[in-house]
Amino acid sequence: QTVVTQEPSLTVSPGGTVTLTCASSTGAVTSGYYPSWFQQKPGQTPRALIYATSNKHSWTPARFSGSLLGGKAALTLSGVQPEDEADYYCLLYFGGAQPWVFGGGTKLTVL
Amino acid sequence: EVQLVESGGGLVQPGRSLRLSCSASGFTFGDYAMTWVRQAPGKGLEWVGLIRSKAYSGTTEYAASVQGRFTISRDDSKSIAYLQMDSLKTEDTAVYYCTRDAATTEDFDYWGQGTLVTVSS
């Protein structure tokens, strides 16, 4: 059973910078895992932020960026805004019979 | 404007069946794989399964938790994807979302608003 691990919770001050990570139980995450990141606020539908490691959607604020960092996928928020408080989920591609697996999510608090 | 609208959710008894629909508009439905994702109350997102486009043989894949009980299909003429859920269990209670995926980019860009399925006696 493949497991994708994220920090359960993180806290950041307004204007600060925070990095969320996404690790795979199978080993280092590479671009071949097509890491995606999604933001979900309470009572709302998930919103896509990043795909294929670092690609942004037209609606993704510039302060969000995706990368690979130390064998993990990473989502960095620079200049955090109060409205960035949300749950963030990563999604990795493993191929095979169950090709996609979500991480458990990170609850980001802006305080 | 791209839109995905799920329907068909509701209250169902354990062991029974339910079929969800995902109606799409605003894009060429047949060009995209369609994926189902669910979220149990207060829990995280769980990938449920996908159906590829006809260009990729229209094949399906499923999470281990639903393999053999859930079936995904599509009707490109109607721009609808379906999730047939059989032998439902209480742990299948969740909001079910559909999302599209362009195989060339592996990008789940648009999501529906979700439909709630409650499995309870």
Side-chain angles (χ1 to χ4, degrees):
Chain A
Q1 178 90 3
T2 303
V3 177
V4 177
T5 302
Q6 300 180 242
E7 298 86 359
S9 63
L10 291 170
T11 300
V12 61
S13 299
T17 296
V18 65
T19 297
L20 289 63
T21 67
C22 176
S24 167
S25 61
T26 62
V29 176
T30 66
S31 59
Y33 286 74
Y34 296 96
S36 298
W37 292 91
F38 303 88
Q39 178 193 63
Q40 188 181 35
K41 297 181 179 180
Q44 295 187 15
T45 294
R47 182 174 75 141
L49 293 175
I50 301 288
Y51 66 97
T53 306
S54 58
N55 294 278
K56 299 181 184 182
H57 295 283
S58 59
W59 54 79
T60 304
R63 61 184 180 275
F64 289 84
S65 63
S67 64
L68 297 175
L69 197 64
K72 301 178 183 181
L75 176 69
T76 299
L77 288 70
S78 304
V80 172
Q81 302 296 307
E83 60 264 30
D84 297 332
E85 185 163 290
D87 293 326
Y88 292 84
Y89 295 92
C90 68
L91 177 64
L92 298 181
Y93 176 75
F94 293 90
Q98 183 169 322
W100 295 96
V101 180
F102 278 100
T106 295
K107 183 176 182 60
L108 183 66
T109 300
V110 181
L111 200 59
Chain B
E1 179 193 5
V2 173
Q3 283 197 319
L4 297 171
V5 180
E6 301 92 340
S7 60
L11 175 64
V12 61
Q13 293 179 327
R16 303 298 290 267
S17 298
L18 201 62
R19 188 178 80 161
L20 306 183
S21 299
C22 171
S23 298
S25 61
F27 65 100
T28 304
F29 181 77
D31 289 347
Y32 288 78
M34 297 302 295
T35 290
W36 288 91
V37 174
R38 69 183 181 183
Q39 186 170 36
K43 303 297 185 182
L45 301 176
E46 180 186 11
W47 181 86
V48 173
L50 65 83
I51 185 165
R52 298 181 177 88
S53 66
K54 293 293 192 293
Y56 291 84
S57 303
T59 51
T60 54
E61 309 289 359
Y62 300 94
S65 58
V66 306
Q67 178 76 47
R69 299 188 299 121
F70 289 13
T71 303
I72 300 173
S73 60
R74 63 189 298 157
D75 185 335
D76 289 354
S77 67
K78 296 181 179 178
S79 297
I80 300 177
Y82 300 99
L83 178 63
Q84 176 68 40
M85 303 184 294
D86 299 324
S87 303
L88 282 161
K89 305 176 182 181
T90 55
E91 52 263 41
D92 295 319
T93 294
V95 174
Y96 285 75
Y97 299 99
C98 66
T99 174
R100 73 172 193 175
D101 168 28
T104 53
T105 58
E106 303 297 1
D107 173 21
F108 302 86
D109 54 357
Y110 287 91
W111 293 56
Q113 85 290 347
T115 187
L116 176 63
V117 173
T118 303
V119 184
S120 174
S121 55

